[in-house]
């Protein structure tokens, strides 16, 4: 993707992460190597490891997807130690409630200590592509409301340059063709995501475009640019709301990457 410069505020890996105030679960960092085989097991490992970032007595932000579902299962075990969660989708809300965890509206709570969510791709600086589960808009809202984004992902999600995964973009339906043309001018091919033969309708009543053919080398600039196109609700690049930490599930165990 040409034409976008890297913004000075982009940070590289290795930045220290602040201490948790009251972490419920002690750190996993010094654990012996754990050997996991399947992708499902890797997701369960990082879902469990994310508990160490949940702050006792504080509402936690919860994302959407199969990795987050593992986190919700783990969170159920400590539900008595938190007031509840803010959820990024109807699907996660349903799971949280089924697990006995109270769900708050984002407007009922102030700043959150942490937001825990998966990703479709994450680069070496913690920038992500998200929205494979069509929940990107609410995910970005809660991420922006949270002090730290803790990304939980298996190692297949780690990339050098964002863009191999088709980029999800939530759009207002009447702007669909105009937005498709704008992506075409950048070398991207956008398609309306379908479900059961019809355009998928998000929790917000909008549509999703999936864009292939992009190499997003300057995620901050790209996100800012696309987000101001008329009709774009949210672009699935999370650079302004990038991860502070990624718990990456690998065959050797959980790697903690700080950005
Ligand atoms: C949903 C998302 C998910 O975090 C992303 O798609 C990863 O999902 P999974 O954990 O199932 O691989 O952005 O909108």
């Amino acid at each position: 993707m040409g034409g976008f410069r890297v913004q000075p505020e982009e940070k590289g890996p290795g930045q220290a992460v602040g201490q948790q105030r009251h972490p419920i679960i002690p750190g996993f960092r010094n654990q012996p190597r754990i050997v996991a085989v399947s992708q499902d097991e890797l997701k369960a490992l990082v879902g469990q490891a994310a508990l160490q970032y949940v702050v006792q007595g504080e509402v936690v932000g919860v994302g959407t997807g199969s990795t987050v579902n593992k986190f919700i299962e783990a969170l159920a075990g400590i539900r008595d130690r938190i007031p509840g969660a803010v959820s990024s989708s109807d699907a996660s809300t349903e799971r949280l409630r089924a697990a006995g965890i109270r769900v708050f509206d984002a407007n009922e709570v102030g700043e959150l200590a942490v937001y825990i969510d998966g990703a479709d791709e994450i680069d070496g600086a913690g920038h992500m592509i998200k929205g494979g589960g069509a929940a990107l808009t609410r995910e970005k809202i809660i991420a922006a409301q949270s002090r730290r984004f803790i990304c939980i992902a298996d190692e297949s999600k780690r990339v050098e340059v964002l863009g191999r995964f088709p980029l999800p973009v939530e759009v207002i339906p009447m702007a669909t063709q105009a937005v498709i043309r704008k992506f075409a001018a950048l070398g991207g091919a956008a398609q309306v995501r379908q479900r059961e033969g019809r355009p998928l309708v998000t929790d917000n009543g909008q549509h999703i475009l999936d864009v292939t053919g992009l190499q997003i080398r300057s995620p901050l600039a790209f996100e800012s640019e696309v987000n101001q196109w008329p009709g774009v609700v949210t672009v699935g690049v999370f650079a302004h709301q990038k991860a502070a930490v990624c718990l990456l599930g690998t065959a050797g165990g959980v790697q903690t990457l700080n950005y």
Side-chain angles (χ1 to χ4, degrees), residues 72 76 79 91-103:
I72 294 173
R79 65 177 171 233
S92 287
T93 297
E94 202 174 305
R95 280 180 182 265
L96 285 160
R97 290 197 174 130
I101 298 164
R102 182 171 171 192
V103 177

Side-chain angles (χ1 to χ4, degrees), residues 212-231:
T212 55
L214 299 173
Q215 285 211 320
I216 304 167
R217 295 189 182 277
S218 299
L220 271 172
F222 182 92
E223 181 181 5
S224 298
E225 164 72 14
V226 176
N227 241 7
Q228 52 85 34
W229 293 352

Side-chain angles (χ1 to χ4, degrees), residues 128-164:
M128 296 166 285
I129 283 185
K130 291 186 45 55
L136 63 162
T137 296
R138 296 188 190 188
E139 291 172 344
K140 203 174 272 192
I141 290 169
I142 308 177
Q145 193 172 340
S146 305
R147 282 197 291 282
R148 292 207 296 166
F149 189 133
I150 312 299
C151 175
I152 49 177
D154 65 81
E155 60 191 341
S156 69
K157 308 293 182 64
R158 181 68 182 81
V159 298
E160 289 308 313
V161 178
L162 299 177
R164 192 178 59 204

Side-chain angles (χ1 to χ4, degrees), residues 57-247:
E58 292 208 21
V59 174
V60 58
V62 175
T64 298
S66 56
T67 316
V68 164
N69 291 345
K70 301 290 188 189
F71 169 64
I72 294 173
E73 282 172 26
L75 192 63
I78 58 160
R79 65 177 171 233
D80 297 339
R81 294 151 83 174
I82 54 166
V86 175
S87 167
S88 61
S89 63
D90 294 347
S92 287
T93 297
E94 202 174 305
R95 280 180 182 265
L96 285 160
R97 290 197 174 130
I101 298 164
R102 182 171 171 192
V103 177
F104 291 90
D105 187 277
N107 294 302
E108 291 181 274
V109 298
E111 188 183 58
L112 304 176
V114 287
Y115 175 62
I116 296 174
D117 198 357
D120 298 302
E121 285 186 350
I122 182 161
D123 73 10
H127 306 128
M128 296 166 285
I129 283 185
K130 291 186 45 55
L136 63 162
T137 296
R138 296 188 190 188
E139 291 172 344
K140 203 174 272 192
I141 290 169
I142 308 177
Q145 193 172 340
S146 305
R147 282 197 291 282
R148 292 207 296 166
F149 189 133
I150 312 299
C151 175
I152 49 177
D154 65 81
E155 60 191 341
S156 69
K157 308 293 182 64
R158 181 68 182 81
V159 298
E160 289 308 313
V161 178
L162 299 177
R164 192 178 59 204
F165 187 90
L167 175 69
V169 183
E170 186 162 1
V171 290
I172 290 171
M174 75 172 284
T176 298
Q177 292 306 321
V179 174
I180 287 175
R181 285 193 292 274
K182 284 184 89 68
F183 275 117
L186 296 180
Q191 287 197 321
V192 180
R193 193 180 299 181
Q194 304 288 313
R195 180 181 283 170
E196 293 166 2
R198 292 166 182 228
L200 176 147
V201 178
T202 68
D203 289 352
N204 310 308
Q206 312 302 337
H207 290 172
I208 297 282
L209 293 178
D210 290 305
V211 190
T212 55
L214 299 173
Q215 285 211 320
I216 304 167
R217 295 189 182 277
S218 299
L220 271 172
F222 182 92
E223 181 181 5
S224 298
E225 164 72 14
V226 176
N227 241 7
Q228 52 85 34
W229 293 352
V232 168
V233 179
T234 304
V235 58
V237 169
F238 282 53
H240 292 278
Q241 274 75 44
K242 71 174 196 163
V245 176
C246 178
L247 300 173

